[in-house]
Amino acid sequence: MEKILIVEDELDLALNIKEIVENFGYKVAGIHADAQSVLSYLETSKVDLILMDIQIKGDVDGIDLCYKLKDIYNIPIVFLTAYSDQTYLDRISNVLYDGYLLKPFKADSLKSAIFLGLKSKPYAVPQKDLEKLSLKIRDKGYVVPVPISDIIYLKADGLYTKVFTHAKSYTVRDILKDLQAQLPDHIFLRPHKSYLVNINHIDSYNSKELNVNQINIPIRRGFYKELSNYLN
């Protein structure tokens, strides 16, 4: 079941949208009213589509938030807005988005916008092509292309990230979130804020931790069910 995040600062309207979306058969992952809460949520959770209001709480509006999200994640975004001013249209035209719906809208229009937005999601990379992908890591003055399939997991270490493979480990001068943006999100899951794991190397798991290459990695509360559904 696809998960949809609602970004809307009018709670009554957000709850109404939530009810409509659930009647369509989708799961609503949550309702957020400001950019920071959305960014924090997505650090540890995955969604399939975002319904984005333009005027939200805080200094960052929905359009600027869309810019930030598209720099980090490959998530379809559908704008829901009451504004059709040329200023807004000019700003929206400069950002990658996957739908635009003017308020007030009918349920059928919302259903179509969600359907088309989800269809814009990229297809998973075939295994034969995945073998060709690599993460370029600078090691001792050299750039080393480390095959994606060889990476077991990544661990945050302050402003650095440790990348673990079967052969060796590397310390990279990038935060975990920046490296996550360079890796296919259908292969690498973030079960905990400090870890990014290649699902192909998961040996076992329970409600508290997962085992990867004889290393126990903690999982955040509520992630066990999501992990089970994903692996199944």
Side-chain angles (χ1 to χ4, degrees):
M1 181 185 296
E2 288 98 339
K3 294 194 297 184
I4 295 176
L5 191 70
I6 298 173
V7 183
E8 170 63 64
D9 63 350
E10 294 184 26
L11 182 57
D12 289 343
L13 177 57
L15 291 174
N16 186 34
I17 294 173
K18 177 178 183 292
E19 182 179 357
I20 294 172
V21 169
E22 290 177 338
N23 286 337
F24 293 156
Y26 302 110
K27 178 180 176 60
V28 173
I31 296 172
H32 295 270
D34 63 273
Q36 187 54 55
S37 64
V38 173
L39 292 168
S40 297
Y41 177 82
L42 291 177
E43 284 184 356
T44 56
S45 302
K46 291 170 61 68
V47 299
D48 298 294
L49 181 138
I50 298 175
L51 296 177
M52 178 78 72
D53 185 25
I54 288 181
Q55 290 293 344
I56 56 178
K57 291 181 179 179
D59 297 330
V60 178
D61 68 9
I63 300 174
D64 287 335
L65 176 56
C66 185
Y67 274 105
K68 291 178 180 290
L69 294 177
K70 290 294 186 178
D71 283 342
I72 305 172
Y73 307 103
N74 199 358
I75 305 174
I77 295 176
V78 174
F79 283 113
L80 305 179
T81 178
Y83 296 89
S84 58
D85 297 359
Q86 190 63 44
T87 302
Y88 288 104
L89 294 177
D90 288 341
R91 289 179 61 204
I92 289 175
S93 67
N94 292 321
V95 65
L96 292 174
Y97 66 100
D98 305 274
Y100 178 92
L101 203 56
L102 196 62
K103 299 176 184 176
F105 49 80
K106 296 181 179 179
D108 286 345
S109 298
L110 178 59
K111 185 176 183 179
S112 298
I114 292 173
F115 177 81
L116 294 173
L118 290 170
K119 284 294 183 181
S120 70
K121 289 177 61 178
Y123 292 106
V125 179
Q127 186 64 33
K128 62 182 179 65
D129 294 332
L130 182 64
E131 298 294 335
K132 303 175 185 177
L133 297 179
S134 63
L135 180 66
K136 294 177 176 59
I137 293 175
R138 186 171 293 279
D139 183 47
K140 298 179 181 178
Y142 293 89
V143 175
V144 181
V146 178
I148 295 294
S149 56
D150 288 353
I151 299 175
I152 302 171
Y153 70 97
L154 301 87
K155 181 181 180 182
D157 185 17
L159 296 176
Y160 294 81
T161 299
K162 292 183 178 179
V163 180
F164 295 87
T165 71
H166 284 298
K168 63 179 296 184
S169 63
Y170 303 88
T171 298
V172 183
R173 289 187 177 182
D174 286 301
I175 61 175
L176 183 59
K177 183 171 66 174
D178 290 342
L179 290 178
Q180 181 179 6
Q182 301 176 45
L183 296 168
D185 59 8
H186 66 287
I187 297 296
F188 288 85
L189 296 182
R190 197 164 179 177
H192 183 276
K193 65 180 181 179
S194 297
Y195 292 90
L196 191 64
V197 176
N198 186 332
I199 64 172
N200 294 315
H201 292 290
I202 296 176
D203 298 317
S204 60
Y205 63 95
N206 58 31
S207 61
K208 294 183 179 179
E209 61 188 15
L210 55 84
N211 184 278
V212 177
N213 197 37
Q214 300 183 341
I215 300 296
N216 293 326
I217 294 176
I219 65 176
R220 56 186 166 79
R221 176 181 291 183
F223 187 75
Y224 174 72
K225 184 176 181 180
E226 180 179 341
L227 178 63
S228 298
N229 291 337
Y230 196 90
L231 294 180
N232 290 332

